[in-house]
């Protein structure tokens, strides 16, 4: 099946620093990947759509200068949280769908804690 | 704004019984519908996808779609304790791959041994 990996699985950083999260599709190519965020006891919220070779598309209310997305290849998208603050602490999950399927498969997620 | 509504539960079902989960969505233009299972602290796992009106069965799971009523449901037969999780209903605008998913808040299902 379609496998998506994320790294790191968890990270703790200090307020004001930047954190990079990688999302990889392991057995398929993905021209489009998606980044979601999930706060405790809440559902997943789409943050942005990552497009290979072009700029990401951000959902309303998501700061593009704070959440930098790079989709450098057909199997890798990165999310960089810049100048992180405690309110950015959350579960960040990426997803991708194989071109042969409309179904989105999720990575295992990255738990970010900003102190 | 697109909305997906689910009863948050908890929904408690005896082991071996049928669990019925429901979802309504606001955007009549939605084309693709998905059910995900999420265990606590983990990412969502795809259970079922459905694109046309009617029923779709896969093992113990049956998804039902009624676009006229903007209603999607998931039935789990012969419920097992391992089915205890939060079930997320998700909707996508188009049939293609370019759109992200809009999720409901999820229904917390508890299967009682």
């Amino acid at each position: 099946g379609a496998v998506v990996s994320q790294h790191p699985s968890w990270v703790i950083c200090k307020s004001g620093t930047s954190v990079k999260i990688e999302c990889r599709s392991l057995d398929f190519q993905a021209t489009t990947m998606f980044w979601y965020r999930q706060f405790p006891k809440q559902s997943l919220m789409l943050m942005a759509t990552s497009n290979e070779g072009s700029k990401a598309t951000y959902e309303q209310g998501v700061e593009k200068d704070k959440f930098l997305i790079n989709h450098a290849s057909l199997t890798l998208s990165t999310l960089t949280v810049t100048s992180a603050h405690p309110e950015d602490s959350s579960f960040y999950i990426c997803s991708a769908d194989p071109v042969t399927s409309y179904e989105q498969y999720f990575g295992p997620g990255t738990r970010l804690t900003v102190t | 704004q697109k909305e997906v509504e689910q009863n948050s539960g908890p929904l408690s079902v005896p082991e071996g019984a049928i669990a019925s989960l429901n979802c309504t969505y606001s955007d009549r233009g939605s084309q693709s519908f998905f059910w995900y299972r999420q265990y606590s602290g983990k990412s969502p796992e795809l259970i079922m996808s459905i694109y046309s009106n009617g029923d779709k069965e896969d093992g113990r799971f049956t998804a039902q779609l009624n676009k006229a009523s903007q209603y999607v449901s998931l039935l789990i037969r012969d419920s097992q304790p391992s089915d205890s999780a939060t079930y997320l209903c998700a909707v996508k605008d188009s049939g293609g791959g370019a759109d992200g998913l809009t999720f409901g808040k999820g229904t917390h299902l508890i299967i009682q041994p």
Side-chain angles (χ1 to χ4, degrees), chain B residues 28-82:
Chain B
R28 193 169 282 278
S30 299
Q31 296 290 324
S32 307
F33 308 87
F34 308 89
W35 283 99
Y36 286 86
R37 177 173 63 196
Q38 187 175 28
Y39 293 112
S40 181
K42 302 295 185 181
S43 69
E45 172 191 8
L46 181 65
I47 298 296
M48 292 282 289
S49 61
I50 187 166
Y51 306 105
S52 55
N53 283 327
D55 295 357
K56 179 182 178 182
E57 185 174 320
D58 184 0
R60 296 187 296 115
F61 300 96
T62 298
Q64 300 172 319
L65 173 62
N66 184 325
K67 289 186 179 180
S69 300
Q70 296 175 239
Y71 175 87
V72 192
S73 68
L74 178 71
L75 300 177
I76 306 175
R77 289 182 298 281
D78 188 24
S79 298
Q80 303 296 311
S82 59

Side-chain angles (χ1 to χ4, degrees), chain A residues 24-39:
Chain A
R24 293 182 185 272
S25 57
L26 297 185
D27 54 359
F28 64 97
Q29 294 184 331
T31 55
T32 305
M33 292 183 174
F34 304 91
W35 287 95
Y36 296 82
R37 180 168 55 181
Q38 185 176 35
F39 291 107

Side-chain angles (χ1 to χ4, degrees), chain A residues 45-104:
Chain A
M45 294 295 293
L46 178 65
M47 298 177 63
T49 301
S50 173
N51 304 298
E52 189 268 336
S54 65
K55 292 183 179 180
T57 305
Y58 292 84
E59 295 299 301
Q60 190 173 6
V62 177
E63 301 175 55
K64 62 180 181 180
D65 294 330
K66 180 172 184 61
F67 298 99
L68 302 180
I69 291 174
N70 183 271
H71 195 148
S73 76
L74 288 172
T75 59
L76 174 64
S77 174
T78 61
L79 169 69
T80 301
V81 183
T82 63
S83 187
H85 290 113
E87 56 265 32
D88 297 323
S89 298
S90 187
F91 192 37
Y92 291 85
I93 317 172
C94 71
S95 75
D97 52 3
V99 292
T100 56
S101 164
Y102 300 144
E103 299 169 343
Q104 285 188 21

